[in-house]
């Protein structure tokens, strides 16, 4: 088992992935204190400091030594993630009664910041898994929660989030995956693209457009109950025999969230994409060909799927931004160490003002990003009306800024930065996608502007 | 209720860069990351395993020093210790003072076992466990790489790492055992346990209440960094080597 192979406890045995060229001072890589104990003026509680330390230690000890191999060989480290799940990292927002950790968004942001210090790609997958577990807990029926949450919290089951399609990315509301009503449920048909965990995950949160008449919640519950009790003569979910396609409607009003299981007939997966980064996660197309989804697997109300998807993304965006912060922190630490040792022109390159200015700017950008991420997390925890705004701003700012920090770190490493012998290039490759997914940073700007208008700009900035 | 008392020390993190104060009076600890001594972590883990195997009922973590040692106690509680004791003092503590305090606590708590790390990575003294056993007149088994408790027989079988290899002792309980590196791999705290630790108690005591005088008996004259490693020299003959060892290194 991986864990037994990684010794904990004594300095002689612990090794970071140290390149030969940097000599014996490598173990000073991790900074004096865990990063950002007072970022953004947010005082962390003793418990939060403990969580932060735990995530950081786990990342450094269990993820960092293997991350290069996972990236190069495209290994999805399920075993290590299961070890993380034992510590509570897979069910962060799931209540304790279902085996989760029952934590908040600020707690989550600290944890993902810590985990991504060791491996952004794996930490990012865990943010997605947690996002789906959150949705199942918040919008699923009691039966669905009991069926899935404990296994999601233990990572016995992995989860994926399926909103994007080949034809609808930023224009998510124009998605085309259809849910045709049949007896006891719906038949889902369509394709989802760029799905993290595709093929590996056991459950998929799928947003699909319901065709036919929209039902009241009671009608759906009744169909679900009949389905559960196994009585064959259940009523059809949806309208009568005639196709009333139009009543489903275009726009977001008919979009509904479903939990689809990997093994169901009609579910298939495209080949895993060959990506620039996030290579320790399989990413691919999820194809649904008349997949029967029982009514019990609908999450929330019929027609509320788009709202659910967007609500989930508020938290998801904060977590992706937190991953950016953690990854960039590692790059800054690495570059700091490197520039203190690499000598040119008779002195360490860290003694040149240009280097010092660059490091100063990197640290400033990182600190600002961290403060925004934590501030947004607090806003979401408090269910503040500014939470969506804060999350979009934090995501937009932190993902761009932290990518630049990593890129600057690569530059500071010079030629070595370009080699895979040093991890910085992997962090750059991993971070690049954060400005694109969970809503492009262009879409973040749309959201920011819309929120500013909605919330009355003058009181916000 | 049978207990195991585990002493834990808050030390500079094994990963942190050690800097000496400019006046050479000691190590500069301002803003430096502090953690539980790695050997103490191993001791806590062993105590938890003893409880899980039902050899003992309760794991009590102890730390001595200023308010900040409570962080280390919380870590022990988050790993799974049942309760903690903080002996509060601002005094710089030496191994003998620590041993005296732990002895006083052991007389109060009557544990089946005192588990300590073999040494702390700041002092590297490797004295406290041994002194504690001496003060209590309890058997000691230091540098443990394996511990087996026989509750019924009231004894422990301990494998020790010694220069010559491995030595296995049997000793009557109560006893003092100090942990070595290969005894176990400490567990991580879990998120639920971190939250539960908040509710576990940390009792506060002072040296005075324990009737122990912790006045320093040693004065640190100076702390300095080890000499910078100089480059080596390739020598031409044994005679040259002997001359260098005699004249420059002054070891013969």
């Amino acid at each position: 088992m991986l864990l037994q192979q990684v010794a904990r406890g004594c300095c002689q045995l612990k090794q970071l992935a140290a390149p030969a060229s940097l000599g014996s001072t490598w173990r000073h890589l991790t900074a004096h204190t865990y990063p950002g104990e007072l970022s953004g003026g947010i005082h962390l509680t003793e418990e939060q400091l403990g969580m932060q330390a735990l995530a950081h230690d786990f990342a450094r000890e269990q993820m960092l030594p293997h991350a290069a191999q996972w990236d190069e060989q495209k290994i999805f480290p399920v075993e290590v993630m299961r070890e993380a799940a034992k510590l509570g990292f897979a069910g962060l927002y799931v209540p304790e009664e279902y085996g989760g950790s029952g934590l908040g968004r600020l707690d989550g942001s600290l944890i993902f910041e810590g985990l991504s210090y060791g491996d952004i790609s794996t930490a990012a997958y865990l943010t997605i898994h947690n996002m789906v577990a959150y949705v199942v807990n918040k919008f699923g029926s009691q039966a669905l929660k009991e069926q899935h949450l404990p296994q999601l919290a233990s990572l016995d089951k992995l989860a994926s989030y399926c909103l994007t399609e080949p034809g609808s990315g930023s224009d998510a509301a124009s998605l085309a995956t259809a849910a045709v009503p049949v007896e006891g449920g719906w038949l889902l048909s369509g394709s989802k693209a760029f799905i993290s965990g595709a093929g590996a995950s056991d459950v998929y949160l799928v947003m699909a457009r319901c065709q036919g008449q929209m039902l009241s919640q009671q009608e759906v519950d009744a169909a679900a109950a009949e389905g559960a009790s196994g009585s064959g003569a259940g009523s059809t979910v949806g309208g009568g025999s005639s196709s009333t396609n139009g009543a489903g409607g275009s726009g977001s009003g008919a979009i509904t969230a479903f939990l689809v299981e990997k093994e169901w007939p009609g579910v298939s997966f495209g080949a895993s994409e060959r990506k620039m980064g996030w290579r320790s996660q399989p990413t691919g197309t999820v194809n649904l060909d008349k997949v029967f989804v029982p009514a019990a697997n609908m999450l929330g109300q019929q027609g509320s799927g788009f709202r659910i998807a967007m609500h989930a993304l508020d938290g998801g965006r904060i977590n992706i931004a937190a991953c950016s912060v953690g990854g960039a922190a590692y790059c800054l630490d690495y570059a700091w160490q490197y520039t203190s040792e690499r000598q040119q022109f008779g002195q360490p390159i860290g003694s040149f003002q240009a280097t010092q200015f660059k490091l100063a700017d990197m640290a400033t950008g990182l600190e600002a990003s961290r403060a925004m991420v934590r501030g947004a997390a607090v806003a979401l925890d408090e269910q503040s009306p500014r939470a969506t705004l804060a999350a979009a701003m934090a995501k937009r700012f932190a993902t761009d800024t932290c990518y630049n920090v990593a890129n600057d770190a690569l530059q500071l490493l010079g030629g070595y930065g370009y080699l895979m012998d040093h991890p910085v290039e992997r962090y750059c490759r991993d971070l690049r996608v954060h400005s694109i997914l969970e809503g492009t940073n262009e879409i973040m700007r749309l959201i920011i502007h819309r929120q500013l208008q909605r919330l009355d700009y003058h009181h916000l900035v | 209720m049978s207990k195991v008392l585990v002493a834990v020390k808050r030390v500079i993190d094994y990963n942190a860069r050690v800097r000496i104060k400019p006046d050479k009076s000691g190590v500069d600890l301002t803003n430096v990351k502090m953690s539980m001594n790695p050997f103490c972590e191993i001791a806590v883990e062993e105590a938890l395993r003893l409880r899980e195997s039902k050899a003992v009922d309760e794991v009590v973590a102890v730390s001595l020093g200023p308010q900040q040692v409570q962080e280390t106690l919380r870590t022990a509680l988050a790993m799974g210790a049942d309760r903690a004791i903080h002996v509060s003092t601002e005094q710089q503590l030496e191994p003998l003072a620590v041993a005296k305090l732990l002895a006083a606590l052991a007389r109060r708590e009557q544990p089946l076992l005192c588990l300590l790390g073999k040494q702390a990575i700041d002092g590297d003294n490797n004295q406290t466990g041994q002194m504690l056993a001496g003060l209590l007149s309890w058997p000691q088994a230091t540098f443990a790489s394996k511990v087996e408790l026989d509750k019924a027989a009231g004894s422990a079988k301990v494998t020790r790492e010694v220069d010559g290899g491995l030595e296995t002792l049997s000793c009557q309980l109560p006893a003092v055992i100090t942990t070595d590196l290969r005894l176990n791999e400490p567990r991580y705290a879990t998120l639920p346990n971190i939250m539960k630790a908040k509710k576990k108690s940390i009792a506060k005591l002072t040296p005075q209440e324990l009737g122990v005088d912790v006045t320093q008996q040693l004065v640190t004259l100076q702390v300095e960094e080890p000499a910078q490693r100089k480059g080596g020299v390739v020598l031409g003959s044994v005679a040259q080597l002997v001359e260098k060892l005699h004249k420059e290194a002054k070891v013969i």
Side-chain angles (χ1 to χ4, degrees), chain A residues 302-384:
Chain A
Q302 203 180 356
S304 65
F306 194 73
R307 239 178 335 104
I308 290 175
M310 293 303 108
H311 173 65
L313 284 176
D314 275 343
R317 283 165 188 161
I318 290 169
N319 287 336
I320 286 291
C323 289
S324 287
V325 172
Y330 179 82
C331 294
L332 177 57
D333 282 351
Y334 202 97
W336 189 279
Q337 184 69 27
Y338 180 86
T339 53
S340 73
E341 295 189 353
R342 169 71 174 180
Q343 302 234 345
Q344 287 286 267
F345 308 109
Q347 54 192 300
I349 62 176
S351 65
F352 301 134
Q353 208 171 52
T355 311
Q356 292 172 350
F357 281 15
K358 204 177 189 77
L359 289 168
D361 286 342
M362 288 161 72
T364 305
L366 181 65
E367 187 54 32
S369 301
R370 185 181 285 127
M372 288 198 73
V373 168
R374 292 193 190 174
V378 169
L380 194 56
D381 277 334
E382 294 174 352
Q383 297 180 300
S384 158

Side-chain angles (χ1 to χ4, degrees), chain A residues 3 6 8-11 13-14 27-28 30 32-34 46-47 51 54 60-62 87-89 92, chain B residues 14-19 31-33 38-39 41 74 181 185-192 194-195 198:
Chain A
L3 257 179
V6 181
R8 279 189 78 232
C10 191
C11 48
L13 293 179
K14 284 201 212 198
R27 62 194 181 89
H28 299 307
T30 50
H32 272 183
T33 54
Y34 291 112
E46 222 177 275
E47 290 72 43
M51 291 181 219
L54 175 62
R60 268 190 1 245
E61 294 161 9
Q62 308 297 335
L87 305 181
F89 290 147
L92 291 178
Chain B
Y14 75 91
N15 249 339
R17 172 175 275 134
V18 177
R19 283 188 233 269
N31 250 353
V32 171
K33 185 161 101 184
F39 296 105
E41 275 187 345
R74 289 273 173 229
L181 183 66
E185 203 179 293
R187 66 193 62 188
Y188 291 104
T190 66
L191 292 178
I194 288 171
M195 299 308 289
K198 198 165 36 175

Side-chain angles (χ1 to χ4, degrees), chain A residues 254-268:
Chain A
I255 296 174
T256 305
F258 299 96
L259 200 65
V260 175
E261 295 185 33
K262 176 183 179 185
E263 305 298 337
W264 288 348
V267 177
S268 65

